[in-house]
Amino acid sequence: MDLYNCNCTLSCFHVYGCGDICNSDYDNVVETQLDSPMPWIGMYIAAASALCSVAMIVDAFSGFRSKKFWLPCKYFSLNAFSLTVLAVAMKLPVDFTSKTLGVNDKLARISSLVFMSTAMGNFMTSLGSMEDYDIVLNLAALGVLVITVAGNVCIHIAQMRVFLDVRNILAEEIGSTVVMLLLLVTLCSSALMVPTAKRYIESGYQELHKRVSNEEVEWGKFTIDELRVVVRRYWLMAEAGSPQFVVGRSSIGVALGSIAPLFRWFIAVQFKCSKLGHRSFKEEFKVETYWTQRLEDWRDSPLRLQIRHHKCRKVVHDAKRLLLNFCIAVQIVIVLASKLVLLISAPCVYGILLCFQCIKNLKSCDSSESRAGTELDFSHYVLLLESEPGLPKEILTNICSEADKLIQKGKKKQPKNIIKLLQRSVNFIGVREFDRGEIGSLHTQELPNCWSLPVVTLTSIAISLPNIENHKIKQLLLRAVSEGLSFVKLIEKTLYSNGELESLRNTADVVWVGVELYKKWHDKDLQVTSPKGITHKEMLQSLSSIAEKTVRDFINGRDDVVMQNPLNWPVKVIAANSMYRITQTILLAHKDDDQLTDEQLFELLSIMISDIIAACLTNLARVITLKCHRNAIKEREESIRQAALLLGESEEILEILQQREIPNLDPGKAANIEDWRACIEAST
């Protein structure tokens, strides 16, 4: 039989080795070949869907764990990555060629549309964490995806409507598509509210901050309880004023088929229950200005287009006003519909909440630890929108309890070793004694001091002393000083955020790495086997000579203008200058004391280190309060979280410092070691 009479291609002949394949057989072969990779494509789509699902589940779990039942978006939010993954998961609904004949095909197609609606519902609160420009771009991208999916579904329905196997899922497809489009409209409606609401909340936060800052604790005059109250106040202000919480508790964002929107709806209804029966019908259906303010601003703003013709400009302006008036009307309808849903839902939910409250009252009272966070009235620190009811007591309690839990979590990590070292110090004299003015300067302009560099230098000297038991060095070096430096560096970073003395702090960091990990300073092994009979004075003189030579060699070899300022010196030179001055100070202080043993000098250095760290840690209360307030709204919650943990970690340290007689120092100068030295010098 002639191959060409069978109308088969040469490629088909080569592949299948049969010359009697007709046209219909060829079509079947082609379709089979094209369908063969579908299982792998299906696995890819399933993986994308699973990734989105896991992210939504993690968000839900995190919300439940922290009792944030509005379930803020952290892992699955509206951004480029999540939209790209969603686009992959939507492969089936946008496929024109799918016949949708099998039961699994139909189920997959419908479930994809429902999954898209679920994802959109979960996106709701993430609008609060975006800037205005990001909201526009991400919503535009989501709109393109949703409209593409909806358009393809409509085309598929139109093309396949005559087939009986497809007609039985038309209602589900149409319903899912309508819900998806409604959710897009709802998201856009909420997005119009977000910028105005954020500005309103931010203004309220700044006003509350002014009020709270007037009541803040003073340096050297504070109690642990006062610091706890400060942390709780700011934590409540940050949580209640969180943009995601503001969006999550609005009357907008009700979606179907998703656990996150369902719980956000419940939170919104719970808010409504707190004022149920206290407002008139007119007040219940009042549309607050922040819902339409952005649209009204656009409507009333002048045209950006440069149209010279007066009548044309007037026509365009009138058309713009007409369009935006229509958008405002749609926005009002959406808001009123949402308010109606909440108003209808509130009595039912109120009954459920009342039953739960009765059951809860029958149980034992809350523990004293839980009551500690709510024994004071914090309700006036809650940031609310216009006409918004106050936080329900349960939510207020949960937020305050979260702050208490963070403090308790930090308390479990209290640094025991630095606490023991601080208890060995009775005053702050070591702040003055580590560096004396009688020591001649190696440069015309002397370097200032920071807190961490003298601590690192003194620790290096203490390790270099001969005849000291190894366990004492480990306790001082690897434990106590390491723990103390973590607090010292935090204080320096917080209070010197403008870069002041940055080179000194950087030097301390670099030197400490060598000392802590290798017990080396300036490439010199601090614990090298000492020659027989060497004394601590000889060891100190050796370190001093190395340091002096390093500084003088650098100064003599440089004459450029930049290096005339010691703050621009390299790390090794700055470290050497500190070592020279401190070793010379110790030698000068004990030059006539021949009876001083290595153990005694080690103890004196330990107390000096303790004095310096203790003086620095008197600034902890100020650091905690500063961390409680951050202007950047994105950083606010995390910063207060760090403040609460820091308060817990440093609670026992603060109690030790409260028992000390702190010098009469201006609070603004308490962060500077040179001001401490001057104050102590003046008082003796």
Side-chain angles (χ1 to χ4, degrees):
M1 187 176 187
D2 189 5
L3 177 64
Y4 295 97
N5 292 333
C6 291
N7 295 321
C8 291
T9 63
L10 184 61
S11 60
C12 184
F13 177 79
H14 284 305
V15 172
Y16 296 102
C18 56
D20 56 349
I21 299 179
C22 61
N23 286 335
S24 59
D25 293 331
Y26 173 72
D27 292 338
N28 291 333
V29 170
V30 171
E31 185 174 352
T32 301
Q33 285 296 101
L34 292 175
D35 289 342
S36 60
M38 285 305 295
W40 295 103
I41 296 174
M43 291 177 64
Y44 183 56
I45 296 171
S49 302
L51 182 61
C52 295
S53 301
V54 168
M56 286 187 274
I57 291 171
V58 172
D59 276 338
F61 177 77
S62 300
F64 286 130
R65 186 179 181 184
S66 59
K67 294 186 177 180
K68 296 180 180 179
F69 298 120
W70 60 94
L71 305 185
C73 295
K74 182 178 181 181
Y75 301 100
F76 189 71
S77 58
L78 184 58
N79 54 44
F81 179 77
S82 58
L83 287 175
T84 303
V85 178
L86 268 180
V88 175
M90 290 298 107
K91 201 270 182 190
L92 291 177
V94 299
D95 189 358
F96 285 126
T97 62
S98 177
K99 297 177 182 179
T100 323
L101 297 178
V103 175
N104 291 334
D105 294 334
K106 300 171 187 176
L107 181 61
R109 196 172 187 86
I110 296 298
S111 62
S112 294
L113 294 174
V114 174
F115 182 78
M116 184 67 188
S117 298
T118 302
M120 292 172 67
N122 277 272
F123 284 150
M124 182 62 64
T125 58
S126 67
L127 295 174
S129 60
M130 298 181 195
E131 300 297 331
D132 296 358
Y133 183 71
D134 294 328
I135 291 176
V136 173
L137 287 181
N138 287 319
L139 273 182
L142 178 63
V144 171
L145 177 60
V146 171
I147 292 172
T148 301
V149 172
N152 287 8
V153 169
C154 292
I155 295 172
H156 187 267
I157 290 173
Q159 295 295 324
M160 303 292 291
R161 68 185 185 281
V162 297
F163 297 98
L164 182 62
D165 289 331
V166 179
R167 270 185 280 172
N168 57 4
I169 66 164
L170 291 182
E172 290 85 349
E173 279 196 292
I174 293 172
S176 301
T177 304
V178 169
V179 169
M180 188 172 59
L181 292 172
L182 286 176
L183 280 172
L184 178 62
V185 174
T186 303
L187 279 169
C188 293
S189 176
S190 293
L192 289 170
M193 173 271 290
V194 169
T196 306
K198 285 171 68 175
R199 285 197 297 269
Y200 188 93
I201 288 291
E202 185 62 21
S203 298
Y205 176 86
Q206 296 300 336
E207 289 299 322
L208 272 179
H209 169 63
K210 290 178 183 178
R211 185 197 307 174
V212 174
S213 60
N214 293 330
E215 305 171 8
E216 284 183 3
V217 296
E218 296 183 15
W219 175 80
K221 301 176 182 178
F222 60 86
T223 64
I224 305 298
D225 290 336
E226 287 175 335
L227 285 174
R228 286 198 192 101
V229 170
V230 170
V231 170
R232 290 190 193 113
R233 284 173 177 170
Y234 278 105
W235 178 259
L236 185 58
M237 289 162 59
E239 287 291 293
S242 168
Q244 289 211 33
F245 187 24
V246 171
V247 175
R249 70 187 189 229
S250 65
S251 54
I252 294 293
V254 180
L256 301 176
S258 171
I259 187 172
L262 181 62
F263 270 88
R264 291 166 194 154
W265 165 82
F266 184 81
I267 289 295
V269 173
Q270 193 175 359
F271 267 73
K272 181 62 68 178
C273 290
S274 64
K275 290 294 182 180
L276 196 63
H278 296 280
R279 304 174 69 186
S280 65
F281 186 82
K282 183 177 180 180
E283 289 175 328
E284 290 287 357
F285 286 93
K286 176 187 176 184
V287 178
E288 294 80 7
T289 55
Y290 54 80
W291 288 110
T292 58
Q293 187 65 52
R294 177 56 65 93
L295 289 171
E296 291 174 359
D297 291 342
W298 289 344
R299 180 194 63 188
D300 299 332
S301 62
L303 287 171
R304 296 183 181 274
L305 297 175
Q306 298 297 325
I307 303 175
R308 295 184 178 182
H309 197 279
H310 180 268
K311 287 187 177 180
C312 291
R313 189 163 66 250
K314 182 179 178 182
V315 168
V316 173
H317 185 74
D318 290 342
K320 184 195 76 167
R321 287 184 62 86
L322 183 64
L323 175 61
L324 287 171
N325 279 331
F326 174 75
C327 294
I328 291 171
V330 172
Q331 177 80 334
I332 291 173
V333 169
I334 294 173
V335 174
L336 290 176
S338 302
K339 286 178 176 286
L340 179 62
V341 171
L342 285 180
L343 190 61
I344 294 173
S345 306
C348 301
V349 175
Y350 181 74
I352 297 173
L353 292 175
L354 192 61
C355 293
F356 276 110
Q357 188 62 41
C358 292
I359 295 172
K360 188 175 181 180
N361 291 337
L362 295 176
K363 296 181 179 180
S364 60
C365 297
D366 294 332
S367 64
S368 57
E369 183 179 327
S370 298
R371 290 197 304 268
T374 54
E375 58 188 8
L376 299 176
D377 182 17
F378 289 96
S379 59
H380 47 283
Y381 296 103
V382 177
L383 297 167
L384 300 171
L385 293 172
E386 177 190 353
S387 302
E388 192 176 23
L391 275 182
K393 186 177 179 180
E394 186 70 22
I395 295 179
L396 181 65
T397 302
N398 287 340
I399 293 176
C400 291
S401 297
E402 185 67 17
D404 292 331
K405 288 178 182 178
L406 288 171
I407 295 173
Q408 290 301 318
K409 183 179 178 181
K411 199 170 182 179
K412 295 177 182 178
K413 301 178 180 179
Q414 291 192 94
K416 300 299 182 183
N417 296 289
I418 187 60
I419 289 172
K420 290 180 182 177
L421 182 62
L422 292 175
Q423 289 171 340
R424 296 166 67 180
S425 171
V426 293
N427 52 43
F428 303 103
I429 299 301
V431 177
R432 181 193 64 185
E433 295 297 323
F434 78 88
D435 188 358
R436 288 193 174 183
E438 301 96 299
I439 305 301
S441 177
L442 298 177
H443 189 261
T444 54
Q445 184 179 350
E446 189 53 68
L447 274 164
N449 277 301
C450 66
W451 295 104
S452 54
L453 185 55
V455 171
V456 171
T457 305
L458 285 166
T459 305
S460 304
I461 295 171
I463 293 173
S464 71
L465 296 178
N467 306 316
I468 304 298
E469 295 179 8
N470 195 47
H471 77 274
K472 289 186 177 182
I473 292 176
K474 282 187 176 181
Q475 185 176 5
L476 174 69
L477 169 66
L478 297 178
R479 298 170 186 167
V481 175
S482 293
E483 293 173 353
L485 279 175
S486 65
F487 289 103
V488 171
K489 292 175 182 178
L490 175 63
I491 291 170
E492 290 179 332
K493 183 179 179 180
T494 304
L495 302 183
Y496 298 140
S497 56
N498 60 352
E500 184 181 0
L501 306 181
E502 183 177 357
S503 59
L504 299 180
R505 293 188 284 115
N506 183 52
T507 297
D509 291 340
V510 174
V511 173
W512 182 245
V513 171
V515 174
E516 182 185 23
L517 299 181
Y518 309 106
K519 298 183 179 65
K520 288 185 176 182
W521 179 88
H522 210 289
D523 297 328
K524 176 181 176 59
D525 194 336
L526 296 171
Q527 288 192 311
V528 70
T529 304
S530 304
K532 187 175 181 179
I534 192 172
T535 65
H536 57 260
K537 288 186 177 181
E538 292 171 333
M539 179 62 72
L540 289 171
Q541 189 59 57
S542 173
L543 289 173
S544 179
S545 299
I546 294 173
E548 182 179 6
K549 183 177 186 302
T550 300
V551 177
R552 292 194 183 281
D553 288 348
F554 176 79
I555 293 173
N556 294 334
R558 302 297 294 264
D559 57 357
D560 52 294
V561 177
V562 175
M563 291 305 169
Q564 292 300 313
N565 183 357
L567 290 175
N568 296 327
W569 287 356
V571 165
K572 284 192 173 183
V573 181
I574 294 177
N577 186 76
S578 175
M579 177 63 78
Y580 169 77
R581 293 198 61 82
I582 292 178
T583 50
Q584 284 296 310
T585 298
I586 297 171
L587 288 169
L588 179 63
H590 302 286
K591 64 178 180 179
D592 298 325
D593 191 355
D594 296 329
Q595 303 301 318
L596 185 68
T597 65
D598 297 340
E599 289 281 351
Q600 290 172 334
L601 181 56
F602 183 86
E603 182 67 19
L604 290 173
L605 293 176
S606 300
I607 293 174
M608 193 177 295
I609 292 169
S610 175
D611 287 345
I612 297 173
I613 294 178
C616 179
L617 296 187
T618 59
N619 293 284
L620 269 175
R622 185 183 171 198
V623 170
I624 291 170
T625 54
L626 284 175
K627 277 191 166 294
C628 284
H629 175 63
R630 278 288 182 270
N631 283 321
I633 197 168
K634 290 183 178 180
E635 304 171 1
R636 194 170 292 159
E637 183 178 340
E638 181 58 31
S639 183
I640 300 173
R641 182 184 298 275
Q642 293 173 5
L645 291 171
L646 178 60
L647 175 57
E649 289 178 29
S650 60
E651 208 169 82
E652 195 168 342
I653 293 174
L654 293 170
E655 289 175 355
I656 293 173
L657 296 177
Q658 281 181 312
Q659 301 170 6
R660 302 283 181 85
E661 184 179 348
I662 298 178
N664 186 20
L665 192 64
D666 183 84
K669 297 180 179 180
N672 194 307
I673 191 173
E674 295 293 354
D675 290 322
W676 267 82
R677 289 165 55 79
C679 180
I680 295 174
E681 188 71 38
S683 61
T684 55

